[in-house]
Amino acid sequence: MSAAVPAAVITVSDRCARGERADRSGPAAAAMLAEAGYAVAPVLLIPDGEDTVENAIRSALAQGTRVVLTTGGTGVSPRDLTPEGTARVLERQLPGVAEQIRRQDADDVPTAVLSRGLAGVAGQALVVNAPGSVGGATAAVRVILPLIQHLLDQLDGGDHA
């Protein structure tokens, strides 16, 4: 990668946002992206909710972020509304990416398939929802790392390789 691509990790969790629980998934995902050469902003902690997720993603995009990864809020609990907030921002979904994230560790963690996370494109950026566990978040990063550069090249008008 010639220049460091700006990336953001947003942890969506009522308990983490209130300081009741330490965020482990956001820092783990951010570390993996940084190790791969991305310019990762400090992890943002926000409470669950459609509006908070939408606003945080839009804010990251307005700052020129090209890769936005959310962790948390993808399950079926009443406050798990990350996909709903993300859907408000996405222009085109990438269902194959979201499905691969669910399948990545499903043999070891059968409940991984319960994640409702989305992946897609918003403007010139990739936006991906990852589960809130460390394993789920790092699995998502493992899925997207080999795809990011090609996807961003395509968004920038590059030819198919």
Side-chain angles (χ1 to χ4, degrees):
M1 195 177 331
S2 57
V5 173
V9 176
I10 302 166
T11 297
V12 184
S13 167
D14 287 335
R15 287 180 284 188
C16 289
R18 288 191 302 254
E20 296 171 2
R21 182 175 66 194
D23 175 23
R24 293 180 39 235
S25 63
M32 288 179 72
L33 288 166
E35 283 177 25
Y38 292 88
V40 184
V43 175
L44 177 64
L45 291 172
I46 63 169
D48 288 288
E50 285 181 64
D51 293 340
T52 55
V53 169
E54 176 187 8
N55 293 337
I57 294 171
R58 288 192 189 281
S59 177
L61 296 173
Q63 294 171 34
T65 302
R66 300 289 310 270
V67 178
V68 179
L69 178 78
T70 69
T71 70
T74 63
V76 296
S77 296
R79 298 269 302 145
D80 286 341
L81 299 171
T82 298
E84 287 77 8
T86 302
R88 296 178 181 177
V89 179
L90 295 181
E91 296 164 9
R92 293 180 280 173
Q93 289 196 30
L94 299 169
V97 174
E99 291 305 321
Q100 184 60 31
I101 290 169
R102 281 185 269 283
R103 283 193 306 264
Q104 185 72 14
D105 292 330
D107 288 342
D108 296 325
V109 184
T111 56
V113 299
L114 296 177
S115 173
R116 301 178 310 109
L118 302 176
V121 173
Q124 296 299 109
L126 169 65
V127 179
V128 175
N129 299 148
S133 67
V134 173
T138 57
V141 175
R142 284 195 312 274
V143 169
I144 66 172
L145 278 178
L147 307 174
I148 295 172
Q149 197 58 55
H150 178 74
L151 184 138
L152 296 181
D153 287 345
Q154 292 294 295
L155 291 176
D156 292 339
D159 198 5
H160 293 279

